[in-house]
Each structure stands twice: as C-alpha cells, then as structure tokens.
Amino acid sequence: MDYFQGDRVRILGKPEWGPGIIQAHSKNGKVNVRFFEAGRKTLDLRHAKLIKVVFRDPEWIAAQAARVWGNGANKH
C-alpha cells in the first residue's frame, strides 16, 4: 500500500501511540509519521504494519493537535 504526506494512519501493535499523520515518504521504503501520543517516528514499511484511518470528528482532531503540538497547531 502506498502512503502519502497527509495520510492518517495507525500502527498495528502500538495502539498506545494513537493516530498519526504521514509527514514524509522516502524512496527507501520508510515513512516519517507524527503520532499524537508518541511524537515523530521513522518507520520501515517492511516491518511496520500501518492502516489508514478516517477521522470523523474534526473538533476532536483540533483539540488533540492543540494538546500535542501547542496552540499554534490550529492557526493558518
């Protein structure tokens, strides 16, 4: 499966990391993901099992982003 910048994902086996957003994709099969509960991680897609997710509550997303990344996260 291909992952692109901005895709929302979860990693199987690490539910405590919460949802994440793909920050960057590299050509060597690795992706950079910013997880709400675990911060930024570089994952090798040969080993990390990601699933794409859909967030259905934009207010919750904004609150989580503000909590994790600070109040500047919701400014444009």
Side-chain angles (χ1 to χ4, degrees):
M1 179 178 284
D2 291 325
Y3 298 96
F4 301 99
Q5 186 172 354
D7 283 350
R8 292 167 174 90
V9 297
R10 282 189 167 274
I11 184 167
L12 297 177
K14 293 287 186 182
E16 66 273 14
W17 288 8
I21 299 173
I22 301 288
Q23 300 292 299
H25 186 271
S26 64
K27 294 180 182 177
N28 61 359
K30 296 182 181 179
V31 292
N32 292 321
V33 183
R34 180 82 168 202
F35 290 98
F36 284 113
E37 301 297 334
R40 188 173 179 158
K41 304 288 184 185
T42 300
L43 304 173
D44 187 329
L45 294 175
R46 292 176 296 168
H47 306 288
K49 302 301 180 202
L50 297 178
I51 56 170
K52 290 187 181 184
V53 296
V54 176
F55 290 120
R56 299 183 188 265
D57 184 356
E59 292 171 3
W60 180 87
I61 295 168
Q64 291 297 313
R67 183 180 66 80
V68 173
W69 295 314
N71 290 332
N74 54 7
K75 293 181 181 177
H76 296 284

